[in-house]
């Protein structure tokens, strides 16, 4: 009898604590709303999510306020950051080891429209790192599996499935539908093609790679920053590039890089924080070390984004990326890069190298 009484007291105490938390949350939201109205009374009345009807001037319905309350509590993020996210559209190219965590976090955080491109199917020997997929989807399209997972996490956002290989024939049409592109692919021709397409369309590109116990991350073509070709005007020799199918990868490594890709995409979409442009993050899992390396800015001689370049949509469509990189675009590599070439290029070619 006594234990029942103490259990009831504990529950009552927890209820009171939760009520107090809710009250604090309501007060904080009200204060932020007032602050927002004071800062920009006209603009804040039209913030809205394209796929969701909203109930208040800031574009957030009561359900949204509850769902994203921990975002709203962040002073530097708040209502405006969340509203910006809800208005944004992000495309993730690749639903593998990098794309899995990126998609999950982007769906959970409330990106208004989230697209995923992939033509591959779910395989058992990839599931140690492609955590968005479940065993029930083995043999089925990754896009279908990834979209189902995203919808199960957040049914209020728009998930767009592109179940096809990204090629010069469809890349312009697909990428043009989104504000931000996340490159979660694993091969050289795709990286050049996606970067070039982003330059042609004027889209920021969040690029990540992982192999073995190492990963890397940067943002291209953002605020006059460099594109992929500015750093790598010529492709590395194919013999210098390793891939996970041959060399292996610890599953959590692309998981970490994919999370960081989601973070950079969220920063750009919400206009909060400083995106990782003109810098590259290098992650070494074995030594638990993360370094940020300064990389070169936009190259005036770049064939795609340079001062005198005139890389048009038609030139993009006609460009043979397989021939350029001497790698088949359709070959499904588990990951690309983090090859010796890249590090040699970074550490020797750039005189303005620094650590932070
Ligand atoms: Zn460039």
């Amino acid at each position: 009898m006594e234990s029942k009484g103490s259990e009831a007291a504990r529950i009552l105490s927890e209820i009171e604590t939760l009520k107090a938390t809710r009250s604090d949350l309501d007060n904080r939201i009200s204060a932020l709303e007032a602050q927002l109205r004071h800062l920009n009374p006209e603009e804040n009345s039209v913030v809205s999510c394209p796929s969701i009807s909203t109930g208040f001037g800031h574009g957030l319905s009561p359900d949204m306020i509850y769902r994203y309350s921990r975002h709203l509590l962040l002073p530097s993020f708040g209502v405006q950051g969340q509203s910006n996210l809800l208005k944004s559209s992000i495309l993730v190219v690749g639903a593998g080891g990098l794309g899995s965590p990126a998609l999950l976090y982007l769906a959970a955080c409330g990106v208004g429209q989230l697209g995923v491109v992939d033509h591959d199917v779910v395989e058992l020997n990839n599931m140690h790192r492609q955590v968005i997929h479940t065993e029930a989807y083995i043999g089925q399209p990754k896009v279908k599996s990834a979209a189902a997972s995203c919808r199960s996490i957040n049914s209020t956002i728009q998930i767009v499935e592109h179940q096809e290989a990204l090629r010069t024939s469809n890349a312009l049409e697909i990428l043009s539908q989104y504000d931000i592109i996340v490159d979660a692919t694993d091969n050289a021709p795709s990286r050049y093609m996606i970067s070039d397409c982003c330059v042609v369309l004027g889209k920021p590109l969040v690029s990540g790679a992982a192999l073995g116990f190492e990963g890397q991350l940067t943002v291209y073509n953002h605020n006059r920053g460099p594109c992929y070709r500015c750093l790598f005007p010529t492709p590395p020799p194919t013999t210098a590039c390793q891939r996970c199918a041959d060399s292996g990868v610890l599953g959590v490594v692309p998981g970490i890089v994919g999370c960081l890709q989601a973070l950079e995409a969220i920063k750009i979409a919400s206009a909060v924080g400083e995106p990782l442009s003109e810098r590259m993050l290098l992650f070494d899992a074995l030594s638990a070390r993360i370094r940020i390396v300064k990389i070169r800015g936009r190259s005036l001689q770049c064939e795609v984004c340079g001062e005198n370049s005139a890389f048009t949509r038609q030139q993009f469509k006609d460009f043979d990326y397989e021939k350029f990189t001497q790698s088949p675009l359709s070959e499904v590599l588990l990951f690309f890069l983090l090859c010796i070439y890249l590090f040699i290029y970074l550490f020797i070619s750039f005189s303005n190298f620094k650590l932070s």
Side-chain angles (χ1 to χ4, degrees):
M1 195 67 184
E2 192 174 313
S3 64
K4 283 186 179 177
S6 63
E7 177 66 5
R10 186 194 64 76
I11 291 172
L12 282 171
S13 173
E14 188 172 345
I15 289 172
E16 289 307 311
T17 303
L18 289 171
K19 282 181 178 177
T21 303
R22 184 174 63 186
S23 176
D24 289 342
L25 196 60
D26 289 340
N27 290 337
R28 177 67 180 153
I29 289 169
S30 298
L32 287 169
E33 287 174 349
Q35 190 180 347
L36 200 61
R37 279 195 297 274
H38 179 70
L39 286 172
N40 204 346
E42 288 182 8
E43 186 177 312
N44 292 322
S45 64
V46 296
V47 171
S48 64
C49 170
S51 59
I52 306 163
S53 62
T54 54
F56 298 106
H58 47 58
L60 303 181
S61 67
D63 285 347
M64 289 175 177
I65 291 171
Y66 184 65
R67 177 185 285 267
Y68 305 117
S69 57
R70 269 53 177 180
H71 279 177
L72 306 184
L73 284 168
L74 291 168
S76 59
F77 195 87
V79 172
Q80 191 60 59
Q82 190 63 48
S83 294
N84 290 342
L85 264 187
L86 288 163
K87 286 189 296 182
S88 71
S89 56
I90 300 178
L91 177 72
V92 177
V93 185
L98 297 168
S100 289
L103 283 162
L104 291 171
Y105 273 104
L106 291 174
C109 80
V111 170
Q113 178 177 300
L114 182 59
V116 54
V117 188
D118 205 305
H119 72 289
D120 205 0
V121 296
V122 179
E123 295 180 84
L124 181 63
N125 64 347
N126 290 331
M127 293 186 70
H128 75 293
R129 68 185 187 284
Q130 298 181 5
V131 295
I132 200 169
H133 309 297
T134 60
E135 291 181 1
Y137 278 91
I138 289 175
Q140 296 191 51
K142 283 185 183 176
V143 162
K144 186 179 173 186
S145 168
S149 292
C150 289
R151 290 190 184 104
S152 69
I153 288 173
N154 192 343
S155 61
T156 68
I157 66 168
Q158 185 181 356
I159 310 288
V160 183
E161 303 176 27
H162 301 278
Q163 192 182 322
E164 54 194 314
L166 197 68
R167 297 185 175 280
T168 53
S169 57
N170 62 6
L172 286 167
E173 193 269 330
I174 293 175
L175 267 62
S176 65
Q177 301 170 39
Y178 298 88
D179 302 325
I180 301 162
I181 311 302
V182 175
D183 182 356
T185 63
D186 50 20
N187 60 82
S190 291
R191 287 188 184 278
Y192 279 101
M193 180 181 68
I194 293 167
S195 176
D196 290 355
C197 191
C198 284
V199 172
V200 170
L201 295 171
K203 309 278 185 183
L205 170 63
V206 181
S207 178
L211 183 72
F213 298 96
E214 297 175 324
Q216 68 180 47
L217 172 83
T218 192
V219 174
Y220 293 116
N221 200 43
H222 180 62
N223 284 347
R224 299 290 300 165
C227 77
Y228 188 67
R229 284 210 204 217
C230 290
L231 267 65
F232 309 108
T234 56
T238 52
T239 52
C241 295
Q242 304 170 46
R243 51 184 199 173
C244 301
D246 301 327
S247 306
V249 61
L250 193 69
V252 70
V253 174
I256 290 167
V257 176
C259 285
L260 290 169
Q261 286 185 277
L263 174 63
E264 291 304 312
I266 289 168
K267 283 158 60 180
I268 297 170
S270 63
V272 173
E274 185 183 353
L276 195 69
S277 178
E278 299 189 32
R279 293 171 296 154
M280 182 173 283
L281 183 150
L282 304 173
F283 170 60
D284 180 358
L286 289 183
S287 63
R289 190 169 55 170
I290 292 177
R291 292 180 295 168
I292 309 294
V293 182
K294 176 77 176 170
I295 57 177
R296 69 171 303 160
R298 175 160 292 194
S299 168
L300 299 178
Q301 287 75 44
C302 177
E303 289 187 21
V304 177
C305 76
E307 251 186 357
N308 299 317
S309 74
F311 196 75
T312 64
R313 290 179 177 231
Q314 193 57 51
Q315 283 176 295
F316 172 78
K317 285 183 178 178
D318 295 338
F319 198 88
D320 188 337
Y321 287 91
E322 293 182 345
K323 186 178 177 184
F324 177 61
T325 59
Q326 298 185 327
S327 300
L329 193 63
S330 59
E331 183 178 352
V332 182
L333 307 177
L334 300 179
F335 297 100
F336 165 75
L337 274 183
L338 285 189
C339 52
I340 298 170
Y341 171 87
L342 188 150
F343 287 102
I344 291 174
Y345 196 96
L346 276 175
F347 286 94
I348 295 180
S349 300
F350 305 140
S351 56
N352 56 346
F353 160 165
K354 72 172 185 182
L355 296 178
S356 60

